[in-house]
């Protein structure tokens, strides 16, 4: 099993540019999560999809952030326009059912630096 | 709302010492799950354990053990005879209801950085 695959692993972009982060969940998992990790705020859940449908997007910081899951094997997190305060590690995780009765499997993360 | 508190920001020990990482949680759910994850210097998040709210038995896995006490809302993690490879950030997490959906999501604590020196 390849695990959760995120790309790119590192992204450096200039303020104002559009950034797209990608995630391929583990095959067969029906839940997908995007998290952001910063020193100040720790691990924050941004959005949660179940069966490709957004269940909870209350953690999405503002309208500059958007996430899609067009099919069960792919999701994107887009930031447009990016700002320096968006610099963080973004994790994607998947789970076979919700997150309650089974663990979430995390990708290796995308380290985003906005200069 | 659910909340997880890891009061210890950083702990330093010498190899072979035992160390306990504290986790206190808050929830109004009657059924919930607790988790521990490890984040080594390489950055990935590694699942360690899941425990449901109805099972208060302590669990031991090699040098790792977990003490779940519902009465004090705590789910502490002990590493016995620590090793340098145990150096990492450890996160405690709680599953919480996504309002009016029946789904649950993970709420993480702020993590405890463990440094084990030789």
């Amino acid at each position: 099993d390849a695990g959760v695959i995120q790309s790119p692993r590192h992204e450096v972009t200039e303020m104002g540019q559009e950034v797209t982060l990608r995630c391929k969940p583990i095959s067969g998992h029906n839940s997908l999560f995007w998290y952001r990790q910063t020193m100040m705020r720790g691990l924050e859940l941004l959005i949660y999809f179940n069966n490709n449908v957004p269940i909870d997007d209350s953690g999405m910081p503002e309208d500059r952030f958007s996430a899609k899951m067009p099919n069960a094997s792919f999701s994107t997190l887009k930031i447009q326009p990016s700002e320096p305060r968006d610099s963080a590690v973004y994790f994607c995780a998947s789970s076979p059912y919700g997150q309650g009765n089974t663990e979430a499997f995390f990708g290796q993360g995308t380290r985003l630096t906005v200069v | 709302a659910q909340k997880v508190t890891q009061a210890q920001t950083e702990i330093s020990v010498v190899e072979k010492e035992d160390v306990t990482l504290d986790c206190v949680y808050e929830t109004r759910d009657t059924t919930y799950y607790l988790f521990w994850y490890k984040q080594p210097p390489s950055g990935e998040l590694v699942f360690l354990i899941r425990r449901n709210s109805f099972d208060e038995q302590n669990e031991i896995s090699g040098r790792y053990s977990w003490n779940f006490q519902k009465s004090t809302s705590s789910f502490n993690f002990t590493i016995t005879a620590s090793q340098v490879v145990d150096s990492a950030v450890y996160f405690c997490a709680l599953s919480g209801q996504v309002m009016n959906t029946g789904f649950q999501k993970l709420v993480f604590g702020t993590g405890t950085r463990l440094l084990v020196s030789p």
Side-chain angles (χ1 to χ4, degrees), chain A residues 37 48 56 99-100 103-104, chain B residues 33 37 39 50 104-106:
Chain A
Q37 185 178 31
Y48 164 16
D56 181 5
Q99 277 185 334
E103 65 273 21
Chain B
Y33 295 82
Y37 282 82
Q39 187 174 40
R50 176 186 72 247
Q104 297 196 345
K105 64 180 181 182
L106 276 179

Side-chain angles (χ1 to χ4, degrees), chain A residues 9 31 33 35 37 39 42-43 45 48 50 55-56 58 91 97-108, chain B residues 32-33 35 37 39 42-45 47 50 89 91 95 98 101-110 113:
Chain A
R9 291 292 308 280
S31 291
F33 312 86
Y35 283 87
Q37 185 178 31
M39 288 294 293
L43 271 163
L45 177 64
Y48 164 16
N50 184 267
I55 300 299
D56 181 5
S58 60
F91 286 100
Y97 172 76
Q99 277 185 334
N101 58 357
T102 188
E103 65 273 21
F105 296 84
F106 283 77
Q108 295 206 303
Chain B
Y32 53 89
Y33 295 82
F35 302 78
Y37 282 82
Q39 187 174 40
S42 51
E44 72 273 25
L45 280 154
F47 165 80
R50 176 186 72 247
V89 180
F91 291 93
S95 65
V98 178
T101 67
F103 291 96
Q104 297 196 345
K105 64 180 181 182
L106 276 179
V107 175
F108 282 85
T110 51
R113 181 177 300 277

Side-chain angles (χ1 to χ4, degrees), chain B residues 81-100:
Chain B
S82 59
Q83 299 177 0
V84 172
V85 293
D86 295 327
S87 296
V89 180
Y90 291 86
F91 291 93
C92 181
L94 166 70
S95 65
Q97 284 274 351
V98 178
M99 196 175 293
N100 299 327

Side-chain angles (χ1 to χ4, degrees), chain A residues 8 12 19 25 34 40 59 65-66 70 73 79-80 83 88 97 105:
Chain A
V12 180
V19 175
W34 282 99
M40 292 298 294
F65 285 69
S66 62
S73 59
I79 308 172
Q80 181 185 20
E83 296 181 3
Y97 172 76
F105 296 84

Side-chain angles (χ1 to χ4, degrees), chain A residues 43-103:
Chain A
L43 271 163
E44 306 172 273
L45 177 64
L46 300 178
I47 188 167
Y48 164 16
F49 291 91
N50 184 267
N51 291 328
N52 312 337
V53 175
I55 300 299
D56 181 5
D57 64 356
S58 60
M60 295 287 265
E62 49 198 274
D63 291 346
R64 296 185 298 107
F65 285 69
S66 62
K68 293 182 180 179
M69 192 164 186
N71 57 61
S73 59
F74 184 65
S75 176
T76 59
L77 178 67
K78 184 181 293 186
I79 308 172
Q80 181 185 20
S82 58
E83 296 181 3
R85 59 193 170 118
D86 301 329
S87 298
V89 179
Y90 291 81
F91 286 100
C92 176
S94 71
S95 177
Y97 172 76
Q99 277 185 334
N101 58 357
T102 188
E103 65 273 21

